[in-house]
Amino acid sequence: MASVLQLPIIDLSSQDRASVALSIHEACLDYGFFYLINHGVEDELLERVFDESRKFFSLPIEEKMKLARKEHRGYTALYAEKLDPTASTDIGDAKESYYIGPLAGNATENDLNQWPSGELLPSWRATMESFYKQALRVGRQIISLLALALNLDENFFEKIGAFSKPSDFLRLLHYPGDLRSLDEEILGASAHSDWGMITLLVTNGIPGLQICKEKSDHPQVWEDVAHIDKAFVVNVGDLMERWTNCLFRSTLHRVIPVGEERYSVAFFLHPSDECVVECLPSCCSESSPPRLLNVHADILPFPVWTT
């Protein structure tokens, strides 16, 4: 049985930004994960998001497939994705999901999102758009604190063009509870790290998330991430790891089936595609030169995300 990991808890409402930045720095060094409390997203909105998510995933598969993913927006069916291509099983991950990309309403973004019928789910779009905006607000606050944690100006990432064209994605996830009909051992989400800057995750309280702090170790040691009601779980992405010269860790994680139906909502903050990701001046020196080449944020293939 995996041990239960006690991640650091970051209070976003604290007025002592220097102290919060220091705590985030330590969390990103040690774990690449932390809890975020007092983030300002209303409890009532979180409840509506999960209620609307359940309504969508409860629709007949024929209805859901009318919104099959295209342009990285829309529905992906159960077992359609496999995050760890090295996994021994032939079957995909035991989850279904729905992607929502940057919202329309600004000069740089066309509305490529797909939305369920207003007749079937009249409150769905408004609820998800509201949560997207709130999660983006929280994410930008964390990025500002990350900049301070790295001895940079709090607006550093904005100044280098990381937010010049929105590239952030919201993803709804549903993990079925009953998988007894399958002979193979499968995972809800096989082992992976996230692609972008940071990820914000909130769940319906059902466990299953695990992290592996030392991804190069064999055998890998997995630890359970405990649930804190209404808190976000925040983790560092691959591009932030690259920016920090591998100082902050983009930690391997997965979701295991626990015999109960699990819902989660993940928000992925990603820099604009043209933003150059290069070693930050505070993360390298003569004795610790940059370990990775500079890249544009869009250099990596579009990820198959999950959390």
Side-chain angles (χ1 to χ4, degrees):
M1 181 178 294
S3 61
V4 178
L5 190 64
Q6 299 300 320
L7 295 172
I9 299 175
I10 305 298
D11 185 347
L12 195 59
S13 68
S14 172
Q15 299 303 304
D16 189 348
R17 288 174 61 79
S19 177
V20 172
L22 178 60
S23 297
I24 289 176
H25 186 274
E26 293 173 352
C28 293
L29 282 178
D30 295 339
Y31 301 98
F33 271 77
F34 56 87
Y35 297 109
L36 188 76
I37 62 172
N38 296 325
H39 42 67
V41 180
E42 302 88 350
D43 291 353
E44 185 268 340
L45 176 57
L46 290 174
E47 291 170 2
R48 283 195 286 121
V49 168
F50 282 110
D51 184 52
E52 295 295 335
S53 180
R54 290 187 190 95
K55 289 178 181 177
F56 174 79
F57 289 119
S58 297
L59 292 174
I61 186 62
E62 295 80 12
E63 285 294 331
K64 291 183 285 190
M65 290 306 297
K66 291 177 182 178
L67 298 164
R69 194 178 69 175
K70 57 185 178 182
E71 299 289 344
H72 311 302
R73 280 89 163 162
Y75 174 71
T76 58
L78 197 64
Y79 310 121
E81 299 173 341
K82 185 178 177 182
L83 294 181
D84 181 4
T86 68
S88 57
T89 180
D90 292 328
I91 198 167
D93 294 341
K95 62 175 173 22
E96 54 181 343
S97 58
Y98 199 93
Y99 294 80
I100 300 170
L103 303 179
N106 59 71
T108 60
E109 183 62 36
N110 296 319
D111 189 4
L112 300 176
N113 287 310
Q114 302 188 74
W115 302 104
S117 163
E119 294 182 359
L120 285 175
L121 299 173
S123 302
W124 203 90
R125 177 173 180 172
T127 298
M128 299 310 166
E129 288 184 328
S130 179
F131 181 78
Y132 184 106
K133 294 172 184 176
Q134 290 292 313
L136 180 60
R137 173 189 57 79
V138 174
R140 295 283 178 87
Q141 289 180 268
I142 298 169
I143 294 299
S144 176
L145 288 164
L146 279 170
L148 292 177
L150 293 163
N151 296 317
L152 302 167
D153 181 88
E154 64 180 351
N155 297 316
F156 172 83
F157 289 102
E158 182 176 358
K159 289 177 179 177
I160 65 170
F163 307 136
S164 61
K165 183 177 180 181
S167 300
D168 313 298
F169 272 76
L170 174 64
R171 192 177 188 195
L172 312 176
L173 293 134
H174 172 228
Y175 302 85
D178 187 1
L179 301 172
R180 290 173 298 177
S181 61
L182 297 171
D183 294 329
E184 294 186 68
E185 182 180 356
I186 62 167
L187 292 168
S190 48
H192 66 286
S193 60
D194 290 344
W195 182 45
M197 299 178 79
I198 58 170
T199 303
L200 283 65
L201 175 78
V202 63
T203 79
N204 67 331
I206 301 302
L209 177 62
Q210 296 184 324
I211 73 171
C212 174
K213 288 187 289 184
E214 304 298 335
K215 50 189 164 188
S216 60
D217 283 0
H218 296 283
Q220 292 172 335
V221 177
W222 292 94
E223 298 176 278
D224 292 326
V225 176
H227 174 73
I228 295 181
D229 196 37
K230 309 301 182 185
F232 284 118
V233 177
V234 180
N235 65 278
V236 172
D238 296 343
L239 292 182
M240 186 60 72
E241 181 180 69
R242 180 180 285 265
W243 252 313
T244 63
N245 208 22
C246 302
L247 185 69
F248 288 177
R249 55 173 75 195
S250 181
T251 304
L252 202 64
H253 52 286
R254 68 182 186 182
V255 175
I256 61 169
V258 294
E260 296 182 78
E261 195 172 28
R262 182 178 189 267
Y263 291 87
S264 66
V265 182
F267 189 79
F268 301 89
L269 273 90
H270 187 272
S272 303
D273 288 347
E274 65 274 12
C275 181
V276 176
V277 180
E278 57 186 333
C279 182
L280 298 170
S282 60
C283 297
C284 59
S285 63
E286 188 173 326
S287 60
S288 180
R291 300 170 60 180
L292 301 168
L293 296 174
N294 299 347
V295 296
H296 282 87
D298 66 347
I299 195 68
L300 299 176
F302 195 92
V304 178
W305 290 309
T306 188
T307 313

